[in-house]
Amino acid sequence: MKVTCQVVTTPSADTSGTSVLLSLEAKKYLLGNLHEGIQRALLQRKVKTARICDFFLTGKTEWKNIGGLLGMLLTLADQETARKADHQTKLEEAIERNRAFAEGRGGGGTAPTIPEPFEKKSLTIHGNDNLMHAIGTTRSFVFRTSMNTNFNEITEDFVDEFLKVHPMKIYPDGYVQNAMDTSALADSSGTSFNSGRKRSCNGELIAPRTREEVLKSVVRDMFNSAWTMDTLMPEDEVPPNEDAPVPDANAPPAPPALSKMVRAPWPAAMVRRLPQSKPSAASLSYFVILHPQRGRFLPQIAKELGVTPGPQFRELTEGRSVTTPNGRVVIPEECMEPQKPGKNILVLDIPDRSYVGPLLARDELQDEGLEATVFWLLGPEVAKDERLWEKMQTWTKTTNVVSSPDICPNSITLVGAAKAATKLNLLHPDHFPIPICENEPKMAVPEGLTNLILAKPQQQLSILPKFELQQLPIPMTLEDGRFDIEGVRAAAEPEYIKLAKEARENVEKAEISEELGEFPGKEVEIIPLGTGSAMPSKYRNVSATLLRVPGAGSILFDCGEATLGQLARLYGQEKLPEVLRDIKCIYISHLHADHHLGTAAVLKAIHQVKHNGKSVPPIPSKTAIPGPDAPMTDADLTPTVSSLLDTSDNIMWVIGLGKYDGLLKEYADVEDIGYSWIRYIATEEIRTGQGKTLRYLEPFYKALSILEIQTAKANHCVGASTCAFTWKDGFKFAYSGDTRPTQEFVRIGQGATLVLHEATFDDELRGEALAKKHSTTSEAIKAGMDMGAKALMLTHFSQRYPKLPVIAEEGHGKQKMKVALAFDMMKIKVGEFWRFEKFIPALRELYKDEADEEDALVVVEDDAKPEKTPKAQGKKNEKKQKRVEARAKNIRSGDDQWNSRGGRGGGKRGVEGSKQQPEELLPTEEVIALSEAATQSIPKGLTNLKQVLPGYF
């Protein structure tokens, strides 16, 4: 049997932790950290994921260790949806061939084989305390049932047909462990916790439950529920929206209404709040033991015992006894070499130095003759502890692979994205910076350790049949691990280099006063950190945009997974704290996962640099800023609290759908992300002018020098918003989030200086845009022109189509609106938007031959296949069209879990769940007709993308 361990990631700006892929011939296991960015790393490394059936998470339950888990689960679940659609297509084709065969239309031979029944993939996530609580906080927007997903807060050995995994929970020095109470919990009023329900969706009474029962039920209902869209329940039993306006107490009572049946929310969304938890100090490590291997079969001895070669040989090699022709029973052990003991693999996660002593004192680690491959996952400063190196010296029969931020260089993980950025840098270094990487480790390791290996991405250790270390190649990377910047530049096409030079010269010659003149906000800088949609890809991350307003502070508009890593790669470790300290607000447009899964990491990083990780002292219930009641005078506040609240830089503002505040609050039970410093403002309350969070608006305006915020409903999913921010100096910024074009957004964005608008689909795919409630290029540009905007940036491009909208080389509309396309980690000031049109000829040349280079996220397990012939490609396209039609049929029938992959959310209703009806979807034939007629609606001045920049996607 062949067994390998591959180092997928090590600590870097792109990937905050270490992950190791344990591969056997029939199964794979992922051990270590499932950090943000793990999907892009797997894609970049071309790691196959289809046979991964178990995740073993190490360390503490913190976002830096589990931040990529949800995105990974959504991806794997959607792979299963696609696999099921493929299976259904093959089944229907086989049934049709059998029908033709039975009718004599199938030619000669035997009847076609019917595929086996579809079997769901099963996946189990093993982790530490609070794993289920952390996942449960996302129940409002995560709902997938396409694969059997299970969560195990592991306390006992895991055993399957290949190995045993022994968990080791380690607590820091001096820690006194208190068992968490799992009896029936009480809420703040002292009543037993019942998750806010009196009855289930089936009308059954719900008895008080323990914390563990509630959490198991929630995560089960998120991934393994039998709920369907036709599940009904009485309307008066649907849980109310806690954030709905409170009825006027003086109003006359409403007449009793007849109860009617409405569609029930999926069960997990019925849980209004999770039982309270608290951060766990435990760090989880694993001792993996492969099962013993049978010895080599000895055929000569078998023959001497009278065994007949052939099937009886096979029976013996598979461990079964046989009876010889003369009646003798031969057991396998008689003709096999002695059994080989199983190999040992240890994954030891040490968050800080206080865990070193307790870990090394574990009974499992006392055998100095231990034979094992040991992966040391070390936190900051841990590598400086001499006790670790002394332990490695005593383990003379071990191979020690050490991964640490102090030892592993901050090398480029996403070399595909770095390659694109390096080529763009030739166009203009100020606008397209090269990602920062530090290739020198912070400390050296002790000399003389012959059994030490420094972890590097793409290291592969062969465990069986014999130990061997191999460094798998990483494209565009030098032998010492540095990204090959000069090699990438040298490989650029000469014509592109020529056009890039001309573009820089044209920019230097131009006068800004002739282009846009003087206006408020021209020094405001916009920095797209993620410009893709739905899921991260090799070249583009998911949605996030940083707006830096001089003298007022920065705002992060949406915060998809790995946003913090993008900031770290753009600014480097030295400048990053300054950038984080300047971020005063995070705005979340809606609750699709690709727009906010990076929020927890960013909030914690800001909490560290602003408050040194310390929470605000307890605050009286009646205060000017955080209290829900009438404000008190300064005399009523303690001096410490008063001074904290008077310093606006200490406050972190978050604006989004009201329900998202509940998610942050629940997750703060697991990990301190600085929630006590957060002041939350609900977008729906800004829109309606009613609600308890509006008391924070005036302090927010003062803290960021803002005059007004306006929000309007987006035409995308329930709770989605568009917004417009106006600063006191007259600068106005409008952000679409995800939406179809709406008049309300145009209204609130009137006179905008800068508009950031999604352009998910090309104009020829307008039918897709209608079905999935996104905008096309021309629709986004028209919205900007209707607003009278000075500048427009297009973003949120589809990851699924190798095409890019292109803009005219002159301004749009009477006001000559300047339009730019967003690239990941691009930096441009509003007053510099005129420059972008100078870049278009070079960009056209750069991407002309790179169509179809974009890789889909790892969805297949097959090895690379030769290029298809035109005939084979035609059959592939025909099958793809059938899958698209089947998917459209599923959407209309309600079998597609309410949303295509374009939204990554748990359904069209988002967190509101209960009384919202599914949004109308167009019939397939109507979508096709709209797609065919799409080009008729393209405004003048636009050029079809196919002829210009096909390869950017």
Side-chain angles (χ1 to χ4, degrees):
M1 181 172 67
K2 183 178 181 181
V3 179
T4 62
C5 287
Q6 179 180 343
V7 179
V8 180
T9 63
T10 56
S12 70
D14 306 310
T15 53
S16 61
T18 305
S19 54
V20 178
L21 184 69
L22 173 58
S23 299
L24 285 72
E25 292 175 354
K27 196 174 181 182
K28 294 183 178 182
Y29 311 82
L30 195 61
L31 300 97
N33 311 136
L34 258 70
H35 45 70
E36 292 184 50
I38 184 66
Q39 292 188 73
R40 296 186 79 190
L42 289 169
L43 172 60
Q44 185 67 66
R45 307 295 188 219
K46 297 184 178 180
V47 173
K48 302 171 183 179
T49 62
R51 287 192 284 116
I52 299 178
C53 297
D54 290 274
F55 294 158
F56 290 92
L57 307 182
T58 63
K60 301 165 70 175
T61 300
E62 295 180 337
W63 200 258
K64 68 177 182 180
N65 295 331
I66 67 168
L69 175 58
L70 278 167
M72 176 71 78
L73 292 179
L74 292 171
T75 296
L76 293 175
D78 291 346
Q79 290 177 18
E80 281 299 284
T81 299
R83 191 169 71 91
K84 183 178 180 180
D86 267 347
H87 180 274
Q88 183 64 27
T89 299
K90 292 176 181 178
L91 178 63
E92 292 173 357
E93 291 173 350
I95 292 173
E96 178 58 32
R97 288 196 300 269
N98 269 271
R99 183 181 295 113
F101 182 85
E103 296 173 355
R105 296 183 286 110
T110 59
T113 304
I114 300 295
E116 294 291 327
F118 181 78
E119 184 176 347
K120 280 186 178 182
K121 174 185 175 71
S122 293
L123 177 68
T124 302
I125 298 91
H126 311 268
N128 211 338
D129 302 334
N130 284 328
L131 172 62
M132 290 189 294
H133 185 107
I135 297 299
T137 62
T138 66
R139 64 194 178 280
S140 296
F141 61 89
V142 173
F143 179 71
R144 290 291 192 276
T145 61
S146 54
M147 68 177 179
N148 297 319
T149 308
N150 304 292
F151 294 84
N152 174 29
E153 292 185 0
I154 189 167
T155 57
E156 299 178 351
D157 290 353
F158 166 86
V159 181
D160 68 6
E161 64 270 35
F162 300 108
L163 48 73
K164 179 176 77 172
V165 180
H166 173 65
M168 298 183 291
K169 283 189 179 180
I170 315 298
Y171 293 87
D173 284 321
Y175 180 80
V176 178
Q177 183 179 355
N178 295 316
M180 186 170 290
D181 182 14
T182 57
S183 59
L185 298 178
D187 62 17
S188 57
S189 63
T191 58
S192 294
F193 184 84
N194 63 6
S195 72
R197 289 187 286 177
K198 295 180 180 179
R199 293 179 182 272
S200 70
C201 60
N202 296 323
E204 299 176 354
L205 289 172
I206 296 179
R209 297 181 290 171
T210 66
R211 172 183 180 274
E212 184 178 6
E213 289 172 342
V214 172
L215 294 176
K216 284 184 176 180
S217 173
V218 167
V219 296
R220 181 183 63 246
D221 289 342
M222 290 170 62
F223 295 96
N224 301 310
S225 173
W227 176 92
T228 60
M229 288 191 70
D230 57 0
T231 304
L232 301 177
M233 70 183 301
E235 184 178 29
D236 56 3
E237 293 189 8
V238 175
N241 183 353
E242 291 178 323
D243 298 313
V246 178
D248 186 354
N250 299 320
L258 294 176
S259 179
K260 62 180 179 180
M261 301 298 288
V262 298
R263 179 162 53 82
W266 65 81
M270 297 273 281
V271 179
R272 290 168 55 187
R273 62 188 181 280
L274 296 180
Q276 191 171 1
S277 186
K278 61 180 180 180
S280 172
S283 178
L284 188 59
S285 297
Y286 297 105
F287 197 127
V288 181
I289 307 171
L290 300 175
H291 291 328
Q293 301 297 304
R294 288 196 302 270
R296 187 168 59 90
F297 178 63
L298 303 174
Q300 186 59 39
I301 294 179
K303 290 179 181 178
E304 293 174 0
L305 294 173
V307 179
T308 304
Q312 286 193 334
F313 274 21
R314 184 178 65 253
E315 292 288 314
L316 288 169
T317 58
E318 293 176 355
R320 293 184 291 272
S321 300
V322 299
T323 302
T324 65
N326 60 11
R328 177 179 176 178
V329 176
V330 178
I331 62 175
E333 287 76 9
E334 293 182 83
C335 47
M336 305 281 283
E337 289 183 346
Q339 179 176 263
K340 298 177 182 179
K343 297 290 186 178
N344 300 316
I345 302 167
L346 280 67
V347 183
L348 306 178
D349 195 310
I350 310 177
D352 60 57
R353 297 180 70 170
S354 67
Y355 289 82
V356 174
L359 172 70
L360 298 183
R362 295 279 302 199
D363 292 340
E364 300 93 331
L365 308 185
Q366 299 311 305
D367 182 7
E368 293 187 1
L370 176 68
E371 297 184 27
T373 302
V374 186
F375 291 90
W376 299 84
L377 280 52
L378 308 182
E381 305 293 319
V382 177
K384 297 179 180 179
D385 197 307
E386 294 182 359
R387 291 174 293 178
L388 295 177
W389 309 109
E390 292 172 358
K391 187 65 175 178
M392 294 179 202
Q393 285 181 327
T394 63
W395 277 349
T396 57
K397 296 182 180 180
T398 62
T399 300
N400 297 276
V401 184
V402 179
S403 180
S404 162
D406 300 313
I407 295 175
C408 299
N410 181 21
S411 55
I412 297 289
T413 302
L414 308 174
V415 292
K419 172 186 174 183
T422 302
K423 288 185 177 181
L424 288 169
N425 180 260
L426 294 171
L427 189 56
H428 202 291
D430 293 342
H431 298 311
F432 305 103
I434 295 175
I436 294 174
C437 60
E438 298 91 9
N439 288 290
E440 296 298 326
K442 297 178 182 178
M443 64 167 284
V445 299
E447 298 180 355
L449 286 174
T450 57
N451 59 347
L452 173 65
I453 299 173
L454 299 183
K456 296 179 182 179
Q458 289 294 75
Q459 270 179 348
Q460 183 167 285
L461 290 81
S462 176
I463 308 299
L464 286 174
K466 65 177 182 177
F467 183 85
E468 183 180 5
L469 174 64
Q470 180 183 8
Q471 179 64 52
L472 302 178
I474 302 177
M476 297 164 282
T477 302
L478 301 174
E479 290 185 3
D480 61 2
R482 290 181 296 117
F483 179 67
D484 188 8
I485 295 175
E486 295 305 319
V488 171
R489 285 174 170 167
E493 291 293 329
E495 183 64 19
Y496 167 69
I497 295 175
K498 172 188 172 185
L499 292 172
K501 181 179 179 181
E502 291 177 0
R504 291 195 305 273
E505 293 173 350
N506 290 336
V507 166
E508 292 172 0
K509 294 176 184 177
E511 291 291 338
I512 188 170
S513 58
E514 296 177 3
E515 300 293 340
L516 289 174
E518 296 297 324
F519 60 92
K522 71 176 184 180
E523 293 300 315
V524 172
E525 186 176 41
I526 185 168
I527 304 165
L529 299 169
T531 59
S533 66
M535 70 185 80
S537 73
K538 184 192 294 186
Y539 301 110
R540 288 167 289 128
N541 201 39
V542 287
S543 296
T545 305
L546 183 65
L547 192 73
R548 306 191 73 183
V549 183
S554 302
I555 300 179
L556 194 56
F557 287 89
D558 281 328
C559 191
E561 181 182 328
T563 294
L564 181 61
Q566 295 285 88
L567 285 168
R569 191 59 80 191
L570 178 61
Y571 290 103
Q573 295 301 319
E574 291 186 4
K575 292 184 179 180
L576 180 61
E578 175 188 346
V579 174
L580 291 172
R581 195 172 287 111
D582 191 55
I583 297 176
K584 295 184 177 180
C585 175
I586 298 177
Y587 171 89
I588 304 298
S589 63
H590 64 291
L591 295 192
H592 280 161
D594 58 318
H595 288 256
H596 67 85
L597 279 185
T599 307
V602 172
L603 285 174
K604 181 163 186 177
I606 292 173
H607 181 42
Q608 291 290 337
V609 300
K610 282 190 175 183
H611 318 121
N612 198 26
K614 297 180 180 179
S615 298
V616 69
I619 299 175
S621 61
K622 296 183 178 182
T623 65
I625 300 294
D629 305 318
M632 299 177 70
T633 64
D634 290 341
D636 296 322
L637 297 173
T638 64
T640 302
V641 173
S642 180
S643 62
L644 287 171
L645 297 178
D646 287 343
T647 307
S648 61
D649 287 344
N650 285 326
I651 301 300
M652 185 66 201
W653 306 91
V654 179
I655 302 176
L657 188 65
K659 288 287 186 181
Y660 190 60
D661 183 34
L663 183 155
L664 295 176
K665 185 176 182 179
E666 287 182 343
Y667 184 75
D669 283 352
V670 173
E671 177 184 6
D672 183 8
I673 57 173
Y675 182 79
S676 62
W677 296 96
I678 291 174
R679 303 297 172 260
Y680 197 94
I681 304 174
T683 50
E684 64 269 34
E685 293 183 2
I686 298 174
R687 184 175 66 249
T688 62
Q690 298 179 9
K692 59 186 179 182
T693 68
L694 295 183
R695 68 181 68 246
Y696 302 150
L697 273 180
E698 287 303 321
F700 172 72
Y701 289 164
K702 180 180 179 181
L704 280 84
S705 300
I706 286 177
L707 180 66
E708 181 185 24
I709 299 177
Q710 297 168 280
T711 64
K713 287 185 176 181
N715 183 9
H716 183 61
C717 66
V718 170
S721 290
T722 61
C723 68
F725 286 59
T726 304
W727 276 257
K728 292 179 180 178
D729 66 355
F731 171 67
K732 186 172 183 178
F733 174 76
Y735 176 46
S736 70
D738 287 3
T739 187
R740 291 287 302 141
T742 70
Q743 288 301 314
E744 280 297 290
F745 181 45
V746 171
R747 178 185 64 79
I748 66 173
Q750 279 300 310
T753 314
L754 172 62
V755 177
L756 179 64
H757 205 296
E758 70 124 295
T760 306
F761 293 104
D762 179 31
D763 293 312
E764 66 181 16
L765 296 170
R766 185 167 178 264
E768 291 260 19
L770 283 164
K772 298 176 181 178
K773 295 186 179 290
H774 285 290
S775 297
T776 65
T777 309
S778 58
E779 289 170 338
I781 291 177
K782 184 177 185 302
M785 291 191 296
D786 289 345
M787 293 179 191
K790 283 185 175 293
L792 168 72
M793 176 173 280
L794 303 178
T795 188
H796 198 267
F797 304 116
S798 173
Q799 310 274 38
R800 305 168 71 185
Y801 303 96
K803 302 175 181 180
L804 176 71
V806 71
I807 54 178
E809 297 184 28
E810 297 179 358
H812 294 264
K814 295 180 180 179
Q815 73 279 14
K816 297 293 183 181
M817 179 181 70
K818 301 302 179 182
V819 182
L821 305 175
F823 293 78
D824 277 23
M825 295 194 285
M826 166 186 177
K827 300 164 67 176
I828 188 168
K829 295 180 179 179
V830 179
E832 299 169 337
F833 262 58
W834 59 272
R835 295 180 176 182
F836 198 88
E837 63 190 36
K838 314 292 184 186
F839 301 153
I840 291 178
L843 290 172
R844 181 184 300 125
E845 177 65 25
L846 176 61
Y847 289 108
K848 70 175 184 179
D849 295 325
E850 297 189 18
D852 298 319
E853 277 196 2
E854 179 64 76
D855 292 274
L857 206 59
V858 186
V859 297
V860 296
E861 186 64 25
D862 299 332
D863 293 330
K865 297 178 181 179
E867 185 175 347
K868 290 182 171 60
T869 62
K871 182 177 180 180
Q873 186 64 39
K875 291 183 177 180
K876 178 182 177 182
N877 292 338
E878 183 179 347
K879 291 182 178 180
K880 181 178 180 181
Q881 179 60 29
K882 289 183 178 180
R883 289 198 301 269
V884 170
E885 292 174 358
R887 185 171 179 79
K889 180 180 178 182
N890 288 340
I891 291 174
R892 293 198 302 275
S893 64
D895 293 334
D896 199 44
Q897 300 176 14
W898 298 1
N899 72 320
S900 66
R901 183 50 186 256
R904 295 301 301 271
K908 294 292 183 185
R909 297 176 305 176
V911 300
E912 303 264 352
S914 58
K915 300 182 183 180
Q916 301 291 341
Q917 297 301 317
E919 299 180 59
E920 183 177 355
L921 292 167
L922 295 171
T924 304
E925 58 273 12
E926 190 172 341
V927 170
I928 294 172
L930 287 167
S931 297
E932 292 174 347
T935 53
Q936 299 177 9
S937 62
I938 301 176
K940 293 181 179 179
L942 292 180
T943 307
N944 189 279
L945 64 92
K946 288 190 296 185
Q947 300 148 355
V948 191
L949 300 179
Y952 173 60
F953 273 102

